[in-house]
Amino acid sequence: MDLSQGPIRAAQAAPQVLCTASVHHDHPHAVEALADALGPVELELLLLMASPQADIPDLLARAGAVLPGTRIVGCTTAGEISAAGYTEGEIVAIGMPRAFFKAQTMLVPDLTDYDAQAIIDRMIQTRNDLAVARPDWGHEFNFLLIDGLSTLEDRLVSDLAIGLGPVPLFGGSAGDGERFGATFVFHDGRAHSNAAVLMQVRTRCPIQVFKTDHLSPTEQRMVVTGANPDRRLVHELNAEPAAREYARILGKDPEQLTTFTFAAHPVVVRIGGQHHVRSIQRVAENGDLVFFSAIDEGLVLTLAEARDMRDHLREELSRLSTDGPPAVILGCDCLLRRMEAQQKQVLGALSDILRENRVVGFSTYGEQFNSMHVNQTLTGVAIYPPDDL
């Protein structure tokens, strides 16, 4: 079988710790090519971050046939991050070798109807089971993938927080490019909508879960005076029609507000002494503002200003290398960061920084960090080689 059609990228700077590969979505033998690039290592878990352009049912069916016995999870994306940096239209495969990782996965099949206490109980039991299975491995993290159009991320991560204990959580909301039509998470050979997949991972590799953004609050504030929290809609800001008031504050024509505007001029809220981004997705036909995350009446929104994305990303990734560089960083990077970088013509520079620091993952419709659903951030886990390598 010819596996040479289309570029295949493999990154194995520390092949004993993690193995990754990527291929264009329309490669005629995509799964076979990815499996060949990943190598013969026995995998505990395989993550697939797939462009929505891919034939998802065929991808999952082939993956199950080519890699029998391997647990496969993943999601559709709003862009991918591979060994080449930012990419689009690809399938990125990330393999966790069994020699270094022990994992259990849980599907939440219906985000509108689930038993939170049952999930929490299962999380606690799973964590205990993993500790019994690998008592000599001292590092743990949780990785969450969730339907990015469900509008239920805030509720789920808040519920899951009770079951986390001391174990950190990060995650990303599945995407659909810039179309916002349909998003899916993968579990047990099927693509699920209105669902989430939680991965609980124990490893012998030191890890650091992180969240970062390049935004700082200004003195310009707005109060949400009319909203529909269930639909993440803001009707009024400062008792004025929302889109018109937001545009006035920016000094812009409300008819000219675009996704690029929202990416360049986000708003933040102060929670627990820290500022968290509440990104705007679009303007509704009636002039409401549609947000990517939780919003409610009485909330004070602060306009944020951006630092240079290149300098900030270099500094943050350098901080993760203070005691030595990670073997790989598994990242969930907001689509709005990519769009802002495009608008400011620094996408190539950011892509180079991601590539140089071995970041792999995908662009998201939102990110999760411990008990929070956030926007316009990069969240992830830096994974370091164990001391005995």
Side-chain angles (χ1 to χ4, degrees):
M1 180 180 292
D2 181 11
L3 301 182
S4 64
Q5 300 181 53
I8 303 169
R9 302 188 183 98
Q12 297 185 334
Q16 305 94 330
V17 173
L18 208 73
C19 46
T20 73
S22 64
V23 66
H24 199 264
H25 74 89
D26 62 359
H27 190 291
H29 306 291
V31 173
E32 291 85 351
L34 289 170
D36 184 64
L38 291 172
V41 63
E42 188 176 3
L43 297 178
E44 174 71 5
L45 198 63
L46 177 65
L47 310 176
L48 293 178
M49 309 305 184
S51 165
Q53 296 172 273
D55 184 337
I56 301 299
D58 182 69
L59 170 67
L60 297 178
R62 285 177 175 267
V66 173
L67 298 165
T70 300
R71 280 178 296 171
I72 300 171
V73 297
C75 66
T76 54
T77 73
E80 303 78 51
I81 307 173
S82 74
Y86 281 132
T87 62
E88 289 190 30
E90 293 199 347
I91 303 165
V92 177
I94 303 167
M96 294 185 180
R98 191 157 289 163
F100 295 93
F101 298 91
K102 182 72 175 175
Q104 291 291 338
T105 65
M106 183 194 325
L107 175 70
V108 182
D110 184 354
L111 293 173
T112 59
D113 183 19
Y114 61 83
D115 184 336
Q117 188 59 54
I119 293 174
I120 292 165
D121 292 344
R122 183 172 169 187
M123 289 174 66
I124 294 170
Q125 183 61 56
T126 294
R127 184 179 175 224
N128 291 337
D129 292 344
L130 292 173
V132 170
R134 296 296 184 191
D136 52 333
W137 294 1
H139 309 284
E140 302 169 277
F141 64 89
N142 297 290
F143 182 24
L144 179 69
L145 297 173
I146 185 169
D147 183 337
L149 294 176
S150 67
T151 72
L152 295 170
E153 297 101 321
D154 304 273
R155 174 189 167 194
L156 181 65
V157 293
S158 177
D159 288 340
L160 294 184
I162 301 172
L164 294 177
V167 183
L169 177 145
F170 78 98
S173 301
D176 181 33
E178 296 179 21
R179 294 184 295 271
F180 300 96
T183 59
F184 300 93
V185 296
F186 313 148
H187 189 266
D188 279 347
R190 294 182 55 198
H192 304 264
S193 62
N194 193 43
V197 175
L198 176 67
M199 289 153 273
Q200 294 178 257
V201 182
R202 191 172 179 92
T203 176
R204 59 184 285 202
C205 301
I207 59 101
Q208 185 172 346
V209 172
F210 67 93
K211 174 181 78 72
T212 184
D213 67 68
H214 62 294
L215 304 167
S216 301
T218 68
E219 295 301 316
Q220 183 65 61
R221 292 181 174 84
M222 301 159 272
V223 179
V224 178
T225 50
N228 182 331
D230 291 338
R231 298 178 60 197
R232 295 179 176 171
L233 294 177
V234 171
H235 311 307
E236 293 183 354
L237 292 171
N238 300 334
E240 297 290 339
R244 190 170 71 190
E245 178 67 0
Y246 174 78
R248 183 193 67 78
I249 289 170
L250 296 182
K252 295 183 178 293
D253 182 342
E255 299 298 322
Q256 302 301 315
L257 296 178
T258 67
T259 305
F260 289 107
T261 309
F262 305 138
H265 303 282
V267 295
V268 298
V269 297
R270 188 174 179 84
I271 302 173
Q274 294 185 328
H275 284 91
H276 300 277
V277 182
R278 288 290 183 265
S279 293
I280 302 168
Q281 181 187 129
R282 58 185 172 87
V283 179
E285 291 184 3
N286 65 354
D288 289 348
L289 291 176
V290 183
F291 278 70
F292 274 110
S293 53
I295 207 77
D296 205 349
E297 291 184 7
L299 203 62
V300 177
L301 305 178
T302 301
L303 197 65
E305 61 184 8
R307 283 190 55 193
D308 184 283
M309 297 182 77
R310 297 160 296 184
D311 292 344
H312 180 267
L313 186 59
R314 286 192 192 97
E315 290 173 10
E316 290 298 291
L317 295 182
S318 176
R319 180 180 59 80
L320 293 173
S321 297
T322 300
D323 297 322
V328 69
I329 298 173
L330 178 56
C332 302
D333 187 61
C334 188
L335 169 64
L336 294 178
R337 287 172 52 88
R338 185 185 288 224
M339 297 183 72
E340 181 184 353
Q342 288 176 326
Q343 185 183 39
K344 294 180 176 178
Q345 299 183 343
V346 297
L347 187 67
L350 289 189
S351 186
D352 289 343
I353 296 168
L354 293 172
R355 174 178 50 78
E356 291 162 4
N357 286 274
R358 304 188 186 109
V359 180
V360 294
F362 73 111
S363 292
T364 76
Y365 280 179
E367 303 78 56
Q368 290 79 52
F369 183 73
N370 292 330
S371 63
M372 297 286 296
H373 173 62
V374 293
N375 304 120
Q376 215 150 336
T377 67
L378 169 64
T379 64
V381 58
I383 303 173
Y384 302 85
D387 294 336
D388 56 354
L389 276 189

